[in-house]
């Protein structure tokens, strides 16, 4: 019977096993700091567990509350120079992954329900819902975007009743991520544009049904143009 000899010496093999063991039990908190996730606007009240099986408590992305999430690093992505962190929240609230590399950042197959709080005030947006959204930025330029996004609205604008939600499909436009969200009737829309530096602009457009509604929109700060009235904000995550 032929014997198979290992070319790796005992010392090198022991060192490799020790490195693998240390990597397996590295605290997730340290690894998130190394990959620079906090520099992208991501934060959590506490981070516990290992790099493969961790927990992010009260996680946030800028002003968006993500809730508490299970998190784990993909070992396969590390082999090609990427850090891919799988995230799972309570059922129906968040599932997907964040990917970081030397020149890019993105989210993969993200399905989530995100309360927006006052992130888009005074626009009456209370919630964003993502359905299998994938977005990649390379060197701060939007390189790929797909998936459906819905914005939940509440209340009214200048006495005009608003639809319950607006929806649209994510795409790249001029180097930025563009979320063109519209009502079924098409008379209300929100254009949300996000850059690779984490800055965003959002514009609510309403096509008034009569001159009286147009006057109320103008008095409320909406700007007329191209058959509709627009109210815009800008900010950063």
């Amino acid at each position: 019977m032929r014997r198979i000899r290992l070319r790796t010496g005992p010392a090198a093999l022991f060192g490799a096993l020790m490195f693998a063991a240390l990597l397996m039990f590295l605290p997730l908190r340290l690894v998130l700091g190394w990959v620079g996730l906090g520099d992208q606007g991501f934060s959590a009240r506490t981070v516990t567990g290992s790099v493969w099986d961790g927990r992010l408590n009260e996680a946030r992305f800028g002003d968006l509350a993500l809730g508490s999430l299970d998190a784990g690093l993909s070992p396969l992505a590390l082999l090609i120079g990427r850090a891919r962190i799988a995230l799972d929240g309570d059922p129906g609230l968040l599932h997907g992954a964040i990917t970081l590399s030397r020149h890019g950042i993105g989210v993969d197959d993200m399905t989530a329900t995100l309360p927006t709080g006052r992130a888009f005030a005074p626009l009456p947006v209370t919630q964003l819902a993502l359905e299998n959204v994938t977005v990649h930025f390379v060197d701060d330029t939007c390189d790929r975007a797909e998936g459906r996004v819905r914005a939940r609205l509440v209340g009214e604008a200048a006495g005009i009743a608003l639809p319950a939600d607006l929806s649209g499909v994510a795409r790249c436009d001029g180097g930025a991520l563009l979320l063109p969200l519209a009502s079924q009737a098409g008379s209300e829309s929100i254009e949300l544009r996000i850059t690779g530096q984490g800055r965003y602009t959002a514009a609510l457009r309403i096509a008034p049904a009569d001159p009286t509604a147009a006057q109320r929109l103008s008095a409320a700060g909406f700007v007329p143009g191209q058959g509709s009235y627009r109210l815009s904000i800008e900010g950063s995550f």
Side-chain angles (χ1 to χ4, degrees):
M1 183 175 64
R2 184 178 180 182
R3 294 184 179 181
I4 300 175
R5 295 181 179 273
L6 296 177
R7 294 180 179 274
T8 304
L13 182 60
F14 178 76
L17 291 174
M18 285 295 295
F19 176 78
L22 288 173
L23 186 61
M24 183 176 296
F25 294 105
L26 270 176
L28 179 63
R29 176 178 54 83
L30 292 180
V31 175
L32 294 185
W34 291 343
V35 300
L37 194 58
D39 297 335
Q40 308 299 327
F42 195 95
S43 64
R45 185 174 63 84
T46 59
V47 181
T48 59
S50 72
V51 64
W52 312 120
D53 185 17
R55 181 77 171 171
L56 309 175
N57 297 303
E58 297 181 22
R60 303 184 67 86
F61 179 68
D63 292 329
L64 301 180
L66 307 180
S68 294
L69 309 171
D70 293 324
L73 195 69
S74 168
L76 296 178
L78 289 176
L79 296 177
I80 57 175
R82 295 179 181 175
R84 188 177 190 274
I85 304 163
L87 301 174
D88 280 290
D90 293 333
L93 292 185
L94 190 147
H95 175 78
I98 297 176
T99 302
L100 299 102
S101 65
R102 183 178 178 183
H103 294 286
I105 184 173
V107 297
D108 295 302
D109 300 319
M110 185 66 70
T111 295
T113 301
L114 307 174
T116 59
R118 294 188 56 80
F120 299 112
L123 303 189
V125 179
T126 61
Q127 185 184 92
L128 288 178
L130 314 182
E131 301 173 13
N132 297 317
V133 171
T134 293
V135 177
H136 286 184
F137 284 91
V138 177
D139 292 328
D140 291 336
T141 299
C142 185
D143 181 67
R144 177 189 174 193
E146 59 187 40
R148 180 164 290 276
V149 179
R150 296 181 182 275
R152 179 60 59 93
L153 306 184
V154 65
E156 58 183 29
I160 299 172
L162 296 174
D165 59 60
L166 311 176
S167 65
V169 176
R171 70 173 189 263
C172 294
D173 182 76
L177 168 64
L178 177 63
L179 305 180
L181 313 178
S183 64
Q184 289 187 346
S187 54
E188 301 88 9
S189 65
I190 289 179
E191 182 180 277
L192 178 58
R193 186 179 294 270
I194 303 173
T195 71
Q197 294 83 25
R199 296 199 59 81
Y200 64 84
T201 60
L204 169 62
R205 288 185 172 87
I206 299 176
D210 55 67
T212 302
Q215 292 174 4
R216 293 201 305 268
L217 287 170
S218 181
F222 284 73
V223 177
Q226 297 182 348
S228 65
Y229 282 70
R230 183 185 67 190
L231 182 64
S232 301
I233 63 165
E234 61 181 32
S236 60
F237 292 111

